[in-house]
Amino acid sequence: MTSDLHLTWHEHRVSREDRERLNGHRGCVIWLTGLSGSGKSTLANALDHLLLERGVRTVVLDGDNVRHGLNASPERLRETHGEEFARRFGLGFSAIDREENIRRIGAVAQLFCEAGIIALTAFISPYRIDRRRVRNSMREGDFIEVFVDTPLEVCERRDPKGLYKKARAGEIKHFTGIDDPYETPESPELVVKADGERTPQALAEDIIAYLVGRQILPPLDSNPTD
Ligand SMILES: Nc1ncnc2c1ncn2[C@@H]1O[C@H](COP(=O)(O)OS(=O)(=O)O)[C@@H](OP(=O)(O)O)[C@H]1O
Ligand SMILES: Nc1ncnc2c1ncn2[C@@H]1O[C@H](COP(=O)(O)OP(=O)(O)O)[C@@H](O)[C@H]1O
């Protein structure tokens, strides 16, 4: 298989299919993308909860949380690892830092997917090329792109963290939707309107119906542990 830097890929004895059989469902990545405040985290949580009730194995990777650990900022890393490390590996919000943020998250999500788990990711992921690279790194059908399509005006009105206000005042630079781009998905698997017309639970149920239709999940009335 692939070999670089004298590294060799190992085939493991327990396969993905073995794990999926044990779990009673397939693994995949549900990639939520949309503006800050569009409703990604809320939807990921609603979906996670409904899936848990059905006995589905999931993990949630969420923007703010992952940026506290795996993808910590230079400021945070400086305290623990020093200046050079922070400069090289800390991530902010420049285009290249967002690219690396998404690359790392894509790789982690893929590991969960290969373990037969449903990974729910909630990142702005504003660049098409970064999302496409994650898609292309995975098996066909594993990457399910869900565009959380909430208009900027609605996100800005919600402004739960007060970040839009700061961005408008010039206190935060490169804020997505204000002075940084968001490239809308061209052909996502799903588009959800999280503008308040429907509850997060109803939106999550639509995604579950899609997963059943794709045979990633067993039909609603079957119990995976039977
Ligand atoms: N400049 C700038 N632009 C956009 N967002 C910003 C910025 N600075 C901080 N934040 C906060 O970081 C959250 C987005 O992080 P992500 O990792 O999802 O961003 S990205 O995918 O790398 O673009 C985002 O959280 P969500 O509101 O959950 O999307 C913001 O709270
Ligand atoms: N479907 C929805 N209908 C109404 N309000 C919503 C909906 N989804 C999210 N919200 C609200 O919008 C705000 C931002 O949601 P959040 O999930 O934090 O967005 P994001 O993770 O995309 O930044 C929160 O105050 C949340 O309660």
Side-chain angles (χ1 to χ4, degrees):
M1 297 280 289
T2 29
S3 174
D4 59 318
L5 293 174
H6 308 291
L7 300 174
T8 309
W9 186 273
H10 286 276
E11 292 301 337
H12 292 283
R13 189 163 165 193
V14 179
S15 71
R16 170 173 172 176
E17 287 69 28
D18 293 331
R19 295 182 202 280
E20 291 181 333
R21 214 171 301 115
L22 181 72
N23 290 347
H25 59 81
R26 281 179 40 207
C28 69
V29 176
I30 300 181
W31 189 278
L32 306 177
T33 171
L35 293 168
S36 175
S38 58
K40 302 180 297 296
S41 302
T42 307
L43 179 55
N45 274 301
L47 186 53
D48 194 33
H49 184 69
L50 286 183
L51 289 171
L52 180 88
E53 283 180 338
R54 290 177 57 122
V56 175
R57 288 182 167 76
T58 57
V59 64
V60 178
L61 302 172
D62 192 299
D64 281 341
N65 297 355
V66 172
R67 281 178 175 276
H68 275 86
L70 176 67
N71 294 349
S73 66
E75 293 72 23
R76 193 175 278 269
L77 288 179
R78 195 169 292 123
E79 288 169 20
T80 50
H81 289 69
E83 183 58 40
E84 191 195 343
F85 189 95
R87 196 167 31 77
R88 287 185 60 184
F89 302 119
L91 298 183
F93 290 91
S94 65
I96 199 165
D97 283 8
R98 291 182 200 253
E99 178 179 344
E100 175 61 359
N101 185 39
I102 298 312
R103 189 192 69 83
R104 290 182 198 170
I105 292 151
V108 172
Q110 186 177 12
L111 288 174
F112 280 111
C113 174
E114 291 291 330
I117 290 166
I118 296 190
L120 311 173
T121 70
F123 299 88
I124 298 177
S125 42
Y127 295 110
R128 281 189 199 119
I129 185 165
D130 297 343
R131 298 191 300 261
R132 191 175 331 118
R133 283 197 181 113
V134 178
R135 181 190 288 277
N136 291 344
S137 72
M138 304 187 61
R139 278 199 217 171
E140 175 101 34
D142 279 354
F143 183 83
I144 297 163
E145 189 172 5
V146 181
F147 177 29
V148 183
D149 182 11
T150 308
L152 176 64
E153 309 79 75
V154 176
C155 299
E156 198 166 350
R157 212 177 311 127
R158 288 176 176 166
D159 204 7
K161 303 173 203 159
L163 298 180
Y164 281 100
K165 197 159 171 246
K166 286 191 177 156
R168 288 286 184 201
E171 291 165 35
I172 304 178
K173 302 275 182 234
H174 305 292
F175 197 81
T176 307
I178 305 298
D179 57 351
D180 224 51
Y182 177 78
E183 297 174 356
T184 54
E186 281 171 330
S187 43
E189 275 69 13
L190 290 168
V191 179
V192 300
K193 302 273 180 196
D195 54 9
E197 286 254 318
R198 301 181 63 226
T199 63
Q201 169 143 356
L203 300 173
E205 274 161 4
D206 289 350
I207 297 179
I208 290 189
Y210 173 84
L211 296 175
V212 172
R214 286 270 316 272
Q215 298 182 324
I216 289 168
L217 293 180
L220 277 166
D221 52 359
S222 75
N223 181 346
T225 55
D226 278 352

